[in-house]
Amino acid sequence: GDSVTQTEGQVTVSESKSLIINCTYSATSIGYPNLFWYVRYPGEGLQLLLKVITAGQKGSSRGFEATYNKEATSFHLQKASVQESDSAVYYCALSARTGGYKVVFGSGTRLLVSP
Amino acid sequence: NAGVIQTPRHKVTGKGQEATLWCEPISGHSAVFWYRQTIVQGLEFLTYFRNQAPIDDSGMPKERFSAQMPNQSHSTLKIQSTQPQDSAVYLCASSLDTGGEVFFGKGTRLTVV
């Protein structure tokens, strides 16, 4: 079945430094899945950060970017300069046709930004 | 738009009792998902309805878990004979269309004592 892998359970970055959170996926569908990053800020519900539905394209939101790399089956999340307010849990996810478009999530990466 | 509404927000049950969790999706959304969130397992997919029809329940523990969507305005997740390992936050989500953004409720925290 479809799956998403996030290798880091927690990442700590100093404020104003760059960030990369790794995500790789495996999808059995013909064609390419839709890819997403969701975020849960402290005390809030899970919400969409960005999505990309076309292989090779880049999505961006709130200074974060992720590029859909179909060759590497990756969708890493990057930010050039993090802020303390970016501290949250980030989830990579996919939705594919052969999965009936159910949304499958990675295990999540907690980002701690230190001042 | 009140978003996805889940009730109750917290539920405590004794071991062996039944728990029913409720979800009201966003009006007009055709897809409804249930997930279970734990520290160990992360966000686990449980089951999924589209236009009220069950599409995929591959994540449901078969013996004690069941989900229904009797009408387009609500879905229930029922856990019979609850066990301590069922303790988790159960999240309901809905989506306007297939493959699009999923909107989550605030979850029901189930504690089995």
Side-chain angles (χ1 to χ4, degrees):
Chain A
D2 299 338
S3 66
V4 177
T5 301
Q6 293 179 244
T7 53
E8 305 108 341
Q10 182 168 302
V11 173
T12 302
V13 180
S14 299
E15 197 166 25
S16 79
K17 299 299 185 185
S18 64
L19 166 74
I20 181 165
I21 297 177
N22 294 311
C23 171
T24 57
Y25 66 89
S26 173
T28 57
S29 64
I30 297 171
Y32 301 104
N34 298 339
L35 299 178
F36 307 84
W37 277 100
Y38 283 80
V39 59
R40 177 186 287 113
Y41 295 105
E44 298 185 18
L46 199 56
Q47 58 187 278
L48 180 69
L49 177 62
L50 58 86
K51 72 175 183 181
V52 179
I53 63 173
T54 304
Q57 296 296 308
K58 179 192 293 185
S60 61
S61 174
R62 306 180 202 179
F64 289 88
E65 294 182 338
T67 300
Y68 192 154
N69 187 329
K70 62 181 174 63
E71 289 82 16
T73 62
S74 69
F75 192 55
H76 305 321
L77 183 68
Q78 301 184 73
K79 189 172 187 182
S81 176
V82 297
Q83 303 171 347
E84 207 169 342
S85 57
D86 294 325
S87 295
V89 182
Y90 294 82
Y91 293 89
C92 186
L94 71 78
S95 175
R97 186 178 62 180
T98 53
Y101 288 110
K102 74 181 183 188
V103 184
V104 177
F105 287 83
S107 54
T109 298
R110 180 177 298 276
L111 170 64
L112 296 176
V113 179
S114 56
Chain B
N1 185 347
V4 176
I5 299 171
Q6 290 188 248
T7 55
R9 292 294 315 281
H10 302 273
K11 186 173 182 66
V12 179
T13 63
K15 182 179 174 182
Q17 292 184 329
E18 182 178 286
T20 300
L21 313 181
W22 297 75
C23 171
E24 180 180 330
I26 293 173
S27 177
H29 281 194
S30 62
V32 173
F33 305 83
W34 284 96
Y35 293 87
R36 176 168 63 183
Q37 180 162 39
T38 61
I39 293 174
V40 174
Q41 298 290 342
L43 202 56
E44 290 179 90
F45 169 81
L46 294 176
T47 190
Y48 161 35
F49 296 87
R50 189 190 307 147
N51 296 320
Q52 299 174 235
I55 301 299
D56 185 334
D57 67 352
S58 58
M60 295 276 274
K62 292 293 185 255
E63 293 87 17
R64 300 182 293 106
F65 283 60
S66 62
Q68 295 182 335
M69 191 161 185
N71 57 60
Q72 63 185 9
S73 63
H74 90 273
S75 175
T76 57
L77 178 67
K78 183 180 293 186
I79 308 172
Q80 296 179 310
S81 185
T82 54
Q83 302 297 311
Q85 62 265 30
D86 300 329
S87 297
V89 176
Y90 290 82
L91 293 170
C92 178
S94 71
S95 157
L96 180 61
D97 52 20
T98 52
E101 178 179 359
V102 175
F103 295 82
F104 283 84
K106 294 184 178 181
T108 295
R109 180 177 296 278
L110 176 67
T111 302
V112 182
V113 298

Short mmCIF file of all heavy atoms in Angstrom, two decimals, chain A residues 34 36 38 40 46 48 91 95 100-103 105, chain B residues 35 37 43 45 48 50 56 58 98-99 101-102 104:
data_model
loop_
_atom_site.label_atom_id
_atom_site.label_comp_id
_atom_site.label_asym_id
_atom_site.label_seq_id
_atom_site.Cartn_x
_atom_site.Cartn_y
_atom_site.Cartn_z
N ASN A 34 -0.99 12.99 -5.11
CA ASN A 34 -0.97 14.36 -4.63
C ASN A 34 -0.18 14.37 -3.32
O ASN A 34 -0.33 13.46 -2.49
CB ASN A 34 -2.39 14.86 -4.36
CG ASN A 34 -3.23 14.89 -5.63
OD1 ASN A 34 -2.72 14.90 -6.74
ND2 ASN A 34 -4.55 14.87 -5.45
N PHE A 36 1.26 16.55 0.21
CA PHE A 36 0.85 17.61 1.12
C PHE A 36 1.84 17.73 2.29
O PHE A 36 2.49 16.75 2.66
CB PHE A 36 -0.52 17.30 1.74
CG PHE A 36 -1.61 16.98 0.77
CD1 PHE A 36 -1.77 15.70 0.26
CD2 PHE A 36 -2.52 17.96 0.38
CE1 PHE A 36 -2.79 15.40 -0.64
CE2 PHE A 36 -3.55 17.66 -0.50
CZ PHE A 36 -3.68 16.39 -1.01
N TYR A 38 1.12 19.09 6.20
CA TYR A 38 0.20 19.62 7.19
C TYR A 38 1.01 20.03 8.42
O TYR A 38 2.10 19.49 8.68
CB TYR A 38 -0.85 18.57 7.59
CG TYR A 38 -1.95 18.39 6.57
CD1 TYR A 38 -1.75 17.61 5.43
CD2 TYR A 38 -3.18 19.01 6.74
CE1 TYR A 38 -2.77 17.46 4.49
CE2 TYR A 38 -4.20 18.86 5.81
CZ TYR A 38 -3.98 18.08 4.68
OH TYR A 38 -4.99 17.94 3.76
N ARG A 40 0.68 21.22 12.77
CA ARG A 40 -0.10 21.44 13.99
C ARG A 40 0.70 22.37 14.87
O ARG A 40 1.76 21.96 15.41
CB ARG A 40 -0.40 20.15 14.74
CG ARG A 40 -1.17 20.45 16.04
CD ARG A 40 -1.39 19.25 16.93
NE ARG A 40 -2.38 18.38 16.37
CZ ARG A 40 -2.12 17.17 15.93
NH1 ARG A 40 -0.89 16.69 15.98
NH2 ARG A 40 -3.07 16.42 15.43
N LEU A 46 -4.83 20.32 13.33
CA LEU A 46 -4.01 20.02 12.15
C LEU A 46 -4.55 20.79 10.95
O LEU A 46 -5.76 20.80 10.70
CB LEU A 46 -4.08 18.52 11.89
CG LEU A 46 -3.03 17.85 11.04
CD1 LEU A 46 -1.65 18.09 11.59
CD2 LEU A 46 -3.33 16.36 10.96
N LEU A 48 -3.65 22.39 6.74
CA LEU A 48 -2.82 22.29 5.55
C LEU A 48 -1.80 23.42 5.51
O LEU A 48 -2.14 24.58 5.73
CB LEU A 48 -3.70 22.35 4.31
CG LEU A 48 -2.98 22.25 2.96
CD1 LEU A 48 -2.40 20.85 2.76
CD2 LEU A 48 -3.93 22.60 1.82
N TYR A 91 3.61 17.27 9.28
CA TYR A 91 3.28 15.96 8.74
C TYR A 91 3.29 16.01 7.22
O TYR A 91 2.63 16.85 6.62
CB TYR A 91 1.88 15.52 9.18
CG TYR A 91 1.72 15.24 10.64
CD1 TYR A 91 1.36 16.26 11.51
CD2 TYR A 91 1.91 13.97 11.15
CE1 TYR A 91 1.20 16.02 12.86
CE2 TYR A 91 1.74 13.70 12.51
CZ TYR A 91 1.39 14.75 13.35
OH TYR A 91 1.23 14.49 14.69
N SER A 95 -2.03 11.43 -1.21
CA SER A 95 -3.36 10.96 -1.57
C SER A 95 -3.27 10.46 -3.00
O SER A 95 -2.85 11.21 -3.88
CB SER A 95 -4.36 12.11 -1.45
OG SER A 95 -5.63 11.73 -1.90
N GLY A 100 -7.97 5.04 -3.47
CA GLY A 100 -9.28 5.65 -3.34
C GLY A 100 -9.20 7.07 -2.84
O GLY A 100 -10.17 7.62 -2.34
N TYR A 101 -8.02 7.63 -2.96
CA TYR A 101 -7.75 9.00 -2.51
C TYR A 101 -7.82 9.15 -0.99
O TYR A 101 -8.03 10.24 -0.48
CB TYR A 101 -8.67 10.02 -3.18
CG TYR A 101 -8.32 10.24 -4.64
CD1 TYR A 101 -9.16 9.79 -5.65
CD2 TYR A 101 -7.14 10.88 -5.00
CE1 TYR A 101 -8.83 9.98 -6.97
CE2 TYR A 101 -6.81 11.08 -6.32
CZ TYR A 101 -7.66 10.62 -7.31
OH TYR A 101 -7.33 10.82 -8.62
N LYS A 102 -7.63 8.05 -0.24
CA LYS A 102 -7.49 8.23 1.20
C LYS A 102 -6.18 8.97 1.44
O LYS A 102 -5.23 8.86 0.65
CB LYS A 102 -7.51 6.90 1.92
CG LYS A 102 -6.25 6.06 1.78
CD LYS A 102 -6.39 4.76 2.51
CE LYS A 102 -5.12 3.95 2.42
NZ LYS A 102 -5.30 2.58 2.97
N VAL A 103 -6.10 9.71 2.51
CA VAL A 103 -4.91 10.50 2.80
C VAL A 103 -4.07 9.74 3.82
O VAL A 103 -4.52 9.44 4.92
CB VAL A 103 -5.28 11.89 3.34
CG1 VAL A 103 -4.04 12.73 3.54
CG2 VAL A 103 -6.24 12.59 2.38
N PHE A 105 -0.61 9.61 6.08
CA PHE A 105 0.31 10.55 6.72
C PHE A 105 1.61 9.87 7.15
O PHE A 105 1.62 8.68 7.49
CB PHE A 105 -0.34 11.17 7.96
CG PHE A 105 -1.40 12.18 7.64
CD1 PHE A 105 -2.69 11.79 7.36
CD2 PHE A 105 -1.10 13.53 7.63
CE1 PHE A 105 -3.67 12.72 7.06
CE2 PHE A 105 -2.08 14.48 7.33
CZ PHE A 105 -3.37 14.06 7.04
N TYR B 35 -9.09 9.08 11.80
CA TYR B 35 -7.70 8.75 12.11
C TYR B 35 -7.56 8.59 13.63
O TYR B 35 -8.35 9.13 14.40
CB TYR B 35 -6.75 9.87 11.67
CG TYR B 35 -6.66 10.07 10.18
CD1 TYR B 35 -7.56 10.89 9.52
CD2 TYR B 35 -5.68 9.42 9.43
CE1 TYR B 35 -7.48 11.08 8.14
CE2 TYR B 35 -5.59 9.60 8.07
CZ TYR B 35 -6.49 10.42 7.43
OH TYR B 35 -6.41 10.59 6.08
N GLN B 37 -4.59 9.07 16.62
CA GLN B 37 -3.27 9.65 16.85
C GLN B 37 -2.75 9.23 18.21
O GLN B 37 -3.40 9.44 19.24
CB GLN B 37 -3.31 11.17 16.78
CG GLN B 37 -1.95 11.81 17.03
CD GLN B 37 -1.89 13.22 16.56
OE1 GLN B 37 -2.85 13.97 16.72
NE2 GLN B 37 -0.77 13.61 15.98
N LEU B 43 -0.06 9.34 13.24
CA LEU B 43 -1.41 9.54 12.73
C LEU B 43 -1.78 8.32 11.87
O LEU B 43 -1.36 8.19 10.73
CB LEU B 43 -1.43 10.82 11.90
CG LEU B 43 -2.75 11.52 11.68
CD1 LEU B 43 -3.42 11.83 13.00
CD2 LEU B 43 -2.52 12.80 10.90
N PHE B 45 -4.37 6.00 9.80
CA PHE B 45 -5.63 5.97 9.07
C PHE B 45 -6.50 4.83 9.59
O PHE B 45 -6.02 3.72 9.80
CB PHE B 45 -5.35 5.76 7.59
CG PHE B 45 -6.57 5.46 6.77
CD1 PHE B 45 -7.40 6.48 6.34
CD2 PHE B 45 -6.89 4.15 6.43
CE1 PHE B 45 -8.53 6.20 5.58
CE2 PHE B 45 -8.01 3.86 5.69
CZ PHE B 45 -8.83 4.89 5.25
N TYR B 48 -12.66 5.47 5.88
CA TYR B 48 -12.91 6.58 4.94
C TYR B 48 -14.25 6.33 4.26
O TYR B 48 -14.53 5.22 3.79
CB TYR B 48 -11.74 6.61 3.97
CG TYR B 48 -11.86 7.31 2.65
CD1 TYR B 48 -12.60 8.47 2.48
CD2 TYR B 48 -11.17 6.81 1.55
CE1 TYR B 48 -12.66 9.09 1.25
CE2 TYR B 48 -11.22 7.42 0.33
CZ TYR B 48 -11.95 8.57 0.17
OH TYR B 48 -12.00 9.18 -1.04
N ARG B 50 -16.98 8.04 1.28
CA ARG B 50 -17.21 9.03 0.24
C ARG B 50 -18.67 8.98 -0.14
O ARG B 50 -19.19 7.90 -0.46
CB ARG B 50 -16.33 8.78 -0.98
CG ARG B 50 -16.40 9.93 -2.01
CD ARG B 50 -15.73 9.57 -3.31
NE ARG B 50 -14.38 9.09 -3.10
CZ ARG B 50 -13.81 8.17 -3.88
NH1 ARG B 50 -14.47 7.64 -4.89
NH2 ARG B 50 -12.58 7.77 -3.65
N ASP B 56 -12.86 2.54 2.30
CA ASP B 56 -11.64 1.84 2.75
C ASP B 56 -11.64 1.80 4.26
O ASP B 56 -11.66 2.84 4.90
CB ASP B 56 -10.41 2.61 2.22
CG ASP B 56 -9.09 1.91 2.51
OD1 ASP B 56 -9.02 1.14 3.49
OD2 ASP B 56 -8.12 2.15 1.76
N SER B 58 -9.36 -0.28 5.87
CA SER B 58 -8.19 -1.14 6.06
C SER B 58 -7.45 -0.86 7.36
O SER B 58 -6.69 -1.70 7.83
CB SER B 58 -7.23 -0.99 4.88
OG SER B 58 -6.83 0.35 4.72
N THR B 98 -12.11 14.52 -3.92
CA THR B 98 -11.09 13.48 -3.77
C THR B 98 -9.72 14.06 -4.10
O THR B 98 -9.55 14.78 -5.09
CB THR B 98 -11.38 12.33 -4.74
OG1 THR B 98 -11.55 12.84 -6.06
CG2 THR B 98 -12.61 11.57 -4.32
N GLY B 99 -8.77 13.76 -3.22
CA GLY B 99 -7.41 14.18 -3.47
C GLY B 99 -7.09 15.61 -3.07
O GLY B 99 -5.98 16.08 -3.27
N GLU B 101 -7.59 19.15 -0.24
CA GLU B 101 -7.28 19.48 1.15
C GLU B 101 -8.25 18.81 2.10
O GLU B 101 -9.46 18.77 1.86
CB GLU B 101 -7.32 20.98 1.35
CG GLU B 101 -7.05 21.42 2.79
CD GLU B 101 -7.07 22.93 2.94
OE1 GLU B 101 -7.29 23.62 1.92
OE2 GLU B 101 -6.89 23.41 4.07
N VAL B 102 -7.71 18.31 3.19
CA VAL B 102 -8.51 17.66 4.22
C VAL B 102 -8.58 18.59 5.42
O VAL B 102 -7.56 19.14 5.85
CB VAL B 102 -7.88 16.32 4.61
CG1 VAL B 102 -8.64 15.70 5.78
CG2 VAL B 102 -7.89 15.37 3.44
N PHE B 104 -9.53 19.07 9.40
CA PHE B 104 -9.63 18.23 10.58
C PHE B 104 -10.46 18.86 11.68
O PHE B 104 -10.47 20.09 11.86
CB PHE B 104 -8.23 17.95 11.15
CG PHE B 104 -7.47 16.92 10.39
CD1 PHE B 104 -6.75 17.26 9.25
CD2 PHE B 104 -7.48 15.60 10.79
CE1 PHE B 104 -6.05 16.30 8.53
CE2 PHE B 104 -6.79 14.63 10.09
CZ PHE B 104 -6.08 14.98 8.96
#
